[in-house]
Amino acid sequence: MANSEKVRRIYNRCASSYDSADSKLGPMRRRLYSRAQGDVLELEVGTGATFAHYPSTLTSLTAMDISEAMLARAQQRANSLPFPVTLQLADFQTLPFADASFDTVVSSLALCGIPDPTLLFAEIKRALRPGGQLLALEHIRPANPALAAITNLGNPI
């Protein structure tokens, strides 16, 4: 990610209050994450608020984030899951995994700020096993300049 250090600092600062701003997404995440299966990779896991939405039948979950503070909070939630969880501090623009490592890649509001989406989607495709799936809950920046400016105020990254 072009501004990895800036993004890391922002998310380290907001980790303790991150879940309160994210509570309205629960029903959408529940529907999406219930479709995850097998070995799962979650991009930008944040505090692990998404963990509650996964089916208990996963083989494993690898969860990445760029923020140490977010991962520290996610670790508390990971301890009670019925499947193995690996938390990894990394910038997910390039994925540090072998080809065909995952059955499912999941992302929730993480793909919208990627400077090179073509590279990231090539990486996701590489990391997915044949027949694998990408599950994503995303928003976009409005095309209208006035609305885009308002969106920028709410999302400093």
Side-chain angles (χ1 to χ4, degrees), residues 115-147:
D116 189 349
T118 304
L119 172 64
L120 176 62
F121 286 112
E123 281 289 286
I124 290 170
K125 182 178 179 181
R126 181 190 62 74
L128 277 170
R129 293 183 178 128
Q133 61 181 344
L134 168 63
L135 303 175
L137 172 65
E138 296 299 328
H139 62 91
I140 59 169
R141 187 172 180 265
N144 177 296
L147 293 175

Side-chain angles (χ1 to χ4, degrees), residues 33-93:
Y33 283 52
S34 69
R35 296 172 41 204
Q37 58 187 6
D39 295 308
V40 175
L41 171 63
E42 183 172 350
L43 306 176
E44 295 302 313
V45 68
T47 63
T50 56
F51 292 166
H53 305 304
Y54 282 112
S56 62
T57 55
L58 294 186
T59 305
S60 69
L61 173 63
T62 301
M64 299 175 67
D65 205 279
I66 196 168
S67 164
E68 299 91 342
M70 292 286 193
L71 287 175
R73 295 178 68 85
Q75 182 62 61
Q76 297 169 7
R77 289 182 163 129
N79 292 333
S80 63
L81 293 174
F83 43 80
V85 178
T86 302
L87 299 177
Q88 185 163 349
L89 179 66
D91 178 347
F92 70 89
Q93 186 108 294

